[in-house]
Amino acid sequence: MKPRFIKMTLIGVFCLGISSWNCADNPIEADLNHLSITIDTLSITEISGESYWVAPNLGSNEKLFLGTKNNMDVPISFIGISDHIYWDFYFDSTITFDSLHFILYSNDSLLSPTLTPNLYFQSDSQFSESKSTYLDFEGFSTADWTDLGQPNVKVNTDTSGIFTATELVWNIMNLVETLTDTADTNLIRSFAIQFTNNDTNFIELFSREATNGPKDPKVKIYYHQTVEIDEDSTYRDTTDVTIYSFGDLSIIDPGDIDQESADLGLSNGLGLRSKMSMVYDSLTLLEGSLIREAKLSLPIDTTGIEESFTIIIDPIETALDTAGAIFETDPYTGIGYPYRVSSNIEEGVLTISIKSFLQNVTLGNETNFGFKVMSDEKNDPFEMIRFDLNGNDKKPVLEIIYAVD
């Protein structure tokens, strides 16, 4: 069987080689000129927009803020510390807590200790990282919270002396009995930072979304454990453990909203969003059209923008009949995946592909109710971009390249 197998394999390889040689010398030729497929383009310039406002939530931002900037006020930020088995160490007879520290981090190497906030604690205060807004905390006060004062400020560097972060450290050892209370089934370890006076101070700190551990808000427990080796000797081990935040949120007050403003733009701090509309439906292109490219270009005034600014566009799922402009939550529901797309501004223009959505509108699978346009949640909330739909130099345009039989 084995010699026969080898022989058949060699014959197969020989035949394959002859076939390949013949194909190379005699390629298949065909005249495709009879096909009626053509490539065409369509430009839509009638693009309109309108602004609307939603109570701002900064729960997913990589920073915690406090103070006043660009006429927007952040009166307080909340941090929740997780429940963890480490709290049970306190009841281990072999373990002694030496100190308990609450730690936040800043990227400001020149942070002055006199401009740092006070830390407050409350065992039953709740906030929602994804839902809470300034509307939930109107008239809020820390009067019944435990005031833990201002932090010690420590500037950290690496082995080369290069700045890495500034630590704000509070000694919270006086809370140890409360924080480790296992009898309280409703215990919520809520902390808050707030300036003691309403001045123009402003500070940025890292939130739990920023670094995934090293610079997250945390509580650090320093303890020693006494281990008995034998009847005559014991061993003492000094170490520490870290308990991280389960959620954090800066409460931002956008102030009075000027609905008469001509600004059409985006700002997370103001809760400003936009709705864009254009005439496009299943009859816009000829039946059977296949969209090869569909790029929406929106000119933008980026005056005052210091960092990259990412914009999200999401087709609206259903029509909404409303004359309102200010809402507690976003009234427009986006379709989301796979049509929700994002892009950065380049040279004063947002260019973004909406090919997938328009193709499905052409096929009759989706209906075009317009697009909700939002600032990415990680953008600086104190920055604002403005759409310039009526400018002289650049015009908004949707450019479509499609093939049709």
Side-chain angles (χ1 to χ4, degrees), residues 214-360:
K215 298 176 185 177
D216 289 4
K218 66 190 65 172
V219 166
K220 218 164 191 181
I221 303 171
Y222 297 86
Y223 68 93
H224 66 267
Q225 185 171 22
T226 303
V227 180
E228 184 177 338
I229 300 175
D230 52 43
E231 294 182 358
D232 299 322
S233 61
T234 58
Y235 171 73
R236 178 171 173 170
D237 180 30
T238 301
T239 188
D240 62 78
V241 294
T242 301
I243 303 176
Y244 292 99
S245 165
F246 69 79
D248 47 41
L249 172 69
S250 295
I251 300 297
I252 186 168
D253 187 345
D256 294 331
I257 295 174
D258 181 13
Q259 295 187 58
E260 303 302 321
S261 172
D263 288 335
L264 176 68
L266 305 174
S267 169
N268 283 340
L270 293 174
L272 176 60
R273 301 180 178 185
S274 294
K275 176 189 174 185
M276 296 289 178
S277 301
M278 66 197 73
V279 178
Y280 188 95
D281 58 28
S282 59
L283 302 178
T284 301
L285 300 181
L286 295 174
E287 185 178 355
S289 295
L290 178 64
I291 297 177
R292 300 182 63 180
E293 190 174 278
K295 289 186 177 180
L296 175 64
S297 296
L298 299 174
I300 292 173
D301 178 6
T302 57
T303 303
I305 300 299
E306 298 179 358
E307 301 178 358
S308 63
F309 200 96
T310 303
I311 296 176
I312 298 170
I313 290 184
D314 195 358
I316 296 173
E317 189 172 41
T318 57
L320 178 66
D321 183 14
T322 176
I326 301 178
F327 307 92
E328 291 187 20
T329 58
D330 196 326
Y332 299 104
T333 301
I335 298 177
Y337 179 84
Y339 306 133
R340 177 182 166 120
V341 289
S342 64
S343 181
N344 292 331
I345 302 169
E346 294 186 5
E347 299 181 355
V349 177
L350 171 72
T351 302
I352 198 161
S353 174
I354 55 174
K355 168 186 170 182
S356 179
F357 176 68
L358 294 188
Q359 182 66 71
N360 277 281

Side-chain angles (χ1 to χ4, degrees), residues 92-398:
D92 188 328
S93 60
T94 68
I95 293 177
T96 301
F97 280 24
D98 298 314
S99 63
L100 201 59
H101 290 164
F102 183 91
I103 306 173
L104 297 175
Y105 295 86
S106 170
N107 204 32
D108 185 356
S109 61
L110 303 176
L111 186 62
S112 170
T114 60
L115 299 179
T116 56
N118 280 35
L119 180 70
Y120 297 86
F121 172 77
Q122 178 60 268
S123 60
D124 61 1
S125 176
Q126 299 188 41
F127 67 93
S128 170
E129 185 181 51
S130 61
K131 296 180 180 179
S132 292
T133 71
Y134 73 102
L135 298 175
D136 301 311
F137 291 93
E138 291 180 335
F140 175 81
S141 171
T142 55
D144 60 344
W145 289 51
T146 301
D147 186 351
L148 298 161
Q150 290 183 297
N152 291 319
V153 177
K154 178 183 177 183
V155 178
N156 294 334
T157 59
D158 60 19
T159 54
S160 301
I162 299 174
F163 170 76
T164 56
T166 296
E167 279 188 1
L168 282 69
V169 184
W170 286 267
N171 182 356
I172 59 171
M173 191 63 181
N174 60 322
L175 298 177
V176 66
E177 297 286 348
T178 301
L179 293 173
T180 59
D181 186 359
T182 57
D184 186 354
T185 57
N186 296 317
L187 175 62
I188 300 171
R189 300 173 179 86
S190 294
F191 291 84
I193 52 173
Q194 188 177 53
F195 288 124
T196 55
N197 49 52
N198 296 321
D199 53 24
T200 57
N201 291 346
F202 182 77
I203 190 173
E204 292 185 3
L205 303 165
F206 289 108
S207 76
R208 74 186 188 99
E209 283 79 16
T211 59
N212 195 28
K215 298 176 185 177
D216 289 4
K218 66 190 65 172
V219 166
K220 218 164 191 181
I221 303 171
Y222 297 86
Y223 68 93
H224 66 267
Q225 185 171 22
T226 303
V227 180
E228 184 177 338
I229 300 175
D230 52 43
E231 294 182 358
D232 299 322
S233 61
T234 58
Y235 171 73
R236 178 171 173 170
D237 180 30
T238 301
T239 188
D240 62 78
V241 294
T242 301
I243 303 176
Y244 292 99
S245 165
F246 69 79
D248 47 41
L249 172 69
S250 295
I251 300 297
I252 186 168
D253 187 345
D256 294 331
I257 295 174
D258 181 13
Q259 295 187 58
E260 303 302 321
S261 172
D263 288 335
L264 176 68
L266 305 174
S267 169
N268 283 340
L270 293 174
L272 176 60
R273 301 180 178 185
S274 294
K275 176 189 174 185
M276 296 289 178
S277 301
M278 66 197 73
V279 178
Y280 188 95
D281 58 28
S282 59
L283 302 178
T284 301
L285 300 181
L286 295 174
E287 185 178 355
S289 295
L290 178 64
I291 297 177
R292 300 182 63 180
E293 190 174 278
K295 289 186 177 180
L296 175 64
S297 296
L298 299 174
I300 292 173
D301 178 6
T302 57
T303 303
I305 300 299
E306 298 179 358
E307 301 178 358
S308 63
F309 200 96
T310 303
I311 296 176
I312 298 170
I313 290 184
D314 195 358
I316 296 173
E317 189 172 41
T318 57
L320 178 66
D321 183 14
T322 176
I326 301 178
F327 307 92
E328 291 187 20
T329 58
D330 196 326
Y332 299 104
T333 301
I335 298 177
Y337 179 84
Y339 306 133
R340 177 182 166 120
V341 289
S342 64
S343 181
N344 292 331
I345 302 169
E346 294 186 5
E347 299 181 355
V349 177
L350 171 72
T351 302
I352 198 161
S353 174
I354 55 174
K355 168 186 170 182
S356 179
F357 176 68
L358 294 188
Q359 182 66 71
N360 277 281
V361 172
T362 300
L363 294 172
N365 299 329
E366 301 288 355
T367 303
N368 176 23
F369 295 113
F371 297 79
K372 57 189 289 186
V373 188
M374 304 164 287
S375 167
D376 186 272
E377 55 200 12
K378 291 181 172 53
N379 289 335
D380 186 335
F382 302 96
E383 291 187 343
M384 175 180 176
I385 62 102
R386 296 173 174 83
F387 294 106
D388 187 14
L389 302 188
N390 301 309
N392 296 321
D393 297 332
K394 300 175 182 177
K395 297 290 185 180
V397 62
L398 171 61

